[in-house]
């Protein structure tokens, strides 16, 4: 997923169908881009003088998460204690908190986002860094789970117990949680606004640039694009079936599994993007939507979630006040309509809207 965080005043949306001016970049911001965990990362701060310290903090915090929870590092805490988890092990605060957040995601989604799919991911071939995955030629068989694995995990304080027939994989939630933690810590320590993007997971903290954080949402270059505005402290996450793909016995696989079968979720949606009050929540809902397929629509509506879903044909469905997609290309000299979404905290008064119905073309739509 490519999210391109930009900074500036409210702008005409940039898309493949409706060309418009690129967002302006305020003078008082600075950014750093790098590669992390086989994806792209971007850190933006509203005080350029703090970018060096902010980057140092980000590196340290994200490294702590990697050391605690990586499934692909033999020296990670998760791997080192794996053989003893059936008896119960005292784990670090970092690993305990990551597991706690993963279990919260499982509870919120009725198990659609399950952190006990380590062995299932191994079975479909995702047993190493995505850049190293190979086709072993072994057919993948569905496995019916009678009892959701996450309900068998025990975490009391920092004492973690996982049955021997299960293996933890925190990849579905740890990246989003890390984005939330890191943005919050940097903002609190340095007193500036922060946006951190880890692949398709974006967290913000502290004050935003004038006009809010402008973010372009587009999963693949040929996919329809949208530009949204995040107010301070809000987050965005995208889950996709188009990336982290490989073949097993000649069959295409992807990394989002249906916990009830152990197989990759049916790719009803190419991508699902959700805006929420935390990156963890946004990512949890977008991942569960991929697993649920068409059943995600009434579920997200019931939750009042601002979401954008792109199906296998490239058609876009928007819910919860997400702006309607751009109109066809305007005639020469005609200015394209502005479509932005301000996602506000739950305490703010919601605007009137009706999920699942065509959305009007107001200049700005504010949702709870």
């Amino acid at each position: 997923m490519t999210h391109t965080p930009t900074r500036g005043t409210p702008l005409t949306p940039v898309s493949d169908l409706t060309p418009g001016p690129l967002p302006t970049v305020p003078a008082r911001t600075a950014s750093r881009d790098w590669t992390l965990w086989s994806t792209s990362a971007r850190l933006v701060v509203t005080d350029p003088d703090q970018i060096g310290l902010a980057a140092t903090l980000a590196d340290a915090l994200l490294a702590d998460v990697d050391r605690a929870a990586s499934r692909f590092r033999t020296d990670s805490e998760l791997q080192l204690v794996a053989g003893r988890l059936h008896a119960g092990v005292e784990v670090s605060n970092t690993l305990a908190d990551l597991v706690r957040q993963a279990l919260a995601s499982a509870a919120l989604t009725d198990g659609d986002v399950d952190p006990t799919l380590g062995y299932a991911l191994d079975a479909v071939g995702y047993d190493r860094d995505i850049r190293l995955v190979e086709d072993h030629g072994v057919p993948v068989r569905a496995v019916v789970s009678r009892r959701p694995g996450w309900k068998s995990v025990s975490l009391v304080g920092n004492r973690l117990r996982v049955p021997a027939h299960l293996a933890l994989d925190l990849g579905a939630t740890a990246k989003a949680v890390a984005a939330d933690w890191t943005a919050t810590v940097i903002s609190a320590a340095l007193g500036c606004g922060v946006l951190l993007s880890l692949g398709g997971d974006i967290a913000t903290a502290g004050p935003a640039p004038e006009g809010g954080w402008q973010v372009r949402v587009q999963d693949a270059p040929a996919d329809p694009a949208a530009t949204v505005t995040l107010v301070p402290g809000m987050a965005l996450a995208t889950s996709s079936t188009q990336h982290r793909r490989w073949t097993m016995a000649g069959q295409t696989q992807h990394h989002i599994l249906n916990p009830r079968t152990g197989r990759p979720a049916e790719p009803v949606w190419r991508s699902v993007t959700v805006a929420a009050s935390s990156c963890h929540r946004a990512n949890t809902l977008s991942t569960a939507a991929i697993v649920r397929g068409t059943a995600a629509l009434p579920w997200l509506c019931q939750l009042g979630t601002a979401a954008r879903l792109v199906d296998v044909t490239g058609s876009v469905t928007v819910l919860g006040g997400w702006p309607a997609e751009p109109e066809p290309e305007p005639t020469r000299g005609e200015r394209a309509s502005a479509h932005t979404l301000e996602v506000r905290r739950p305490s703010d008064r919601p605007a009137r809207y009706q999920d699942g119905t065509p959305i009007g073309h107001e200049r700005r739509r504010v949702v709870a």
Side-chain angles (χ1 to χ4, degrees):
M1 173 65 198
T2 300
H3 277 172
T4 306
T6 57
R7 295 80 59 207
T9 55
L11 64 149
T12 301
V14 183
S15 74
D16 295 334
L17 297 177
T18 309
L22 291 172
T24 58
V25 179
R28 298 298 296 172
T29 60
S31 64
R32 177 202 175 198
D33 297 272
W34 73 104
T35 299
L36 180 74
W37 302 335
S38 301
T39 191
S40 59
R42 187 177 201 195
L43 173 67
V44 184
V45 296
T46 57
D47 182 354
D49 294 337
Q50 303 284 13
I51 187 62
L53 286 174
T56 299
L57 284 171
D59 288 341
L61 292 164
L62 296 173
D64 184 46
V65 171
D66 194 47
R67 285 192 300 268
S70 175
R71 195 165 60 93
F72 306 126
R73 287 180 55 164
T74 57
D75 64 342
S76 73
E77 182 182 3
L78 180 61
Q79 293 296 80
L80 292 173
V81 303
R84 297 181 286 122
L85 284 176
H86 65 281
V89 178
E90 287 287 327
V91 298
S92 68
N93 289 337
T94 299
L95 183 55
D97 287 343
L98 289 170
V99 172
R100 194 168 289 113
Q101 297 276 25
L103 294 175
S105 293
L108 174 63
T109 62
D110 294 325
D112 286 330
V113 181
D114 191 321
T116 64
L117 299 179
Y119 289 144
L121 285 164
D122 288 347
V124 299
Y126 196 13
D127 56 356
R128 64 200 71 190
D129 187 285
I130 191 64
R131 295 168 297 183
L132 305 176
V133 170
E134 298 176 352
D135 187 344
H136 302 305
V138 179
V140 177
R141 294 179 173 83
V143 178
V144 178
S145 176
R146 293 181 175 83
R147 174 178 170 80
W150 69 276
K151 289 190 174 181
S152 299
V153 176
S154 172
L155 180 62
V156 180
N158 280 28
R159 188 164 186 81
L160 175 63
R161 189 183 68 80
V162 181
H165 69 284
L166 297 173
L168 290 179
D169 173 75
L170 303 178
T173 54
K175 181 158 61 73
V177 172
D180 283 329
W181 288 353
T182 303
T184 299
V185 169
I186 292 174
S187 179
L190 304 182
C192 61
V194 177
L195 179 147
L196 178 62
S197 171
L198 301 177
D201 296 337
I202 294 178
T204 70
E210 183 180 355
W213 297 106
Q214 307 288 319
V215 180
R216 177 184 170 92
V217 180
Q218 186 179 35
D219 190 37
D223 284 358
T227 298
V228 295
T229 302
L230 295 179
V231 296
M234 301 307 290
L236 201 70
T238 293
S239 296
S240 170
T241 58
Q242 299 187 90
H243 306 285
R244 296 184 185 272
R245 294 166 65 95
W246 64 96
T247 60
M248 179 63 72
Q251 295 184 337
T252 300
Q253 312 289 329
H254 64 80
H255 72 295
I256 301 179
L257 302 189
N258 183 334
R260 293 158 187 80
T261 65
R263 294 287 303 274
E266 187 70 23
V268 173
W269 307 113
R270 291 166 64 90
S271 64
V272 178
T273 302
V274 169
S277 57
S278 73
C279 193
H280 172 225
R281 180 177 176 85
N283 177 265
T284 295
L285 298 181
S286 64
T287 302
I290 294 287
V291 173
R292 293 191 179 211
T294 55
L297 296 175
W299 180 62
L300 292 173
C301 285
Q302 183 181 15
L303 293 174
T305 301
R308 179 180 187 265
L309 304 93
V310 182
D311 70 16
V312 291
T313 69
S315 296
V316 177
T317 300
V318 294
L319 303 170
W322 191 287
E325 293 300 289
E327 294 296 316
E329 184 174 346
T331 58
R332 184 184 297 272
E334 179 185 354
R335 188 180 177 212
S337 299
H339 293 280
T340 60
L341 168 68
E342 280 196 2
V343 183
R344 294 194 180 279
R345 296 184 181 280
S347 59
D348 291 338
R349 183 177 180 180
R352 295 178 180 177
Y353 64 88
Q354 186 173 4
D355 288 320
T357 61
I359 300 174
H361 299 287
E362 293 86 0
R363 284 283 179 179
R364 187 175 298 277
R365 182 177 294 271
V366 180
V367 301

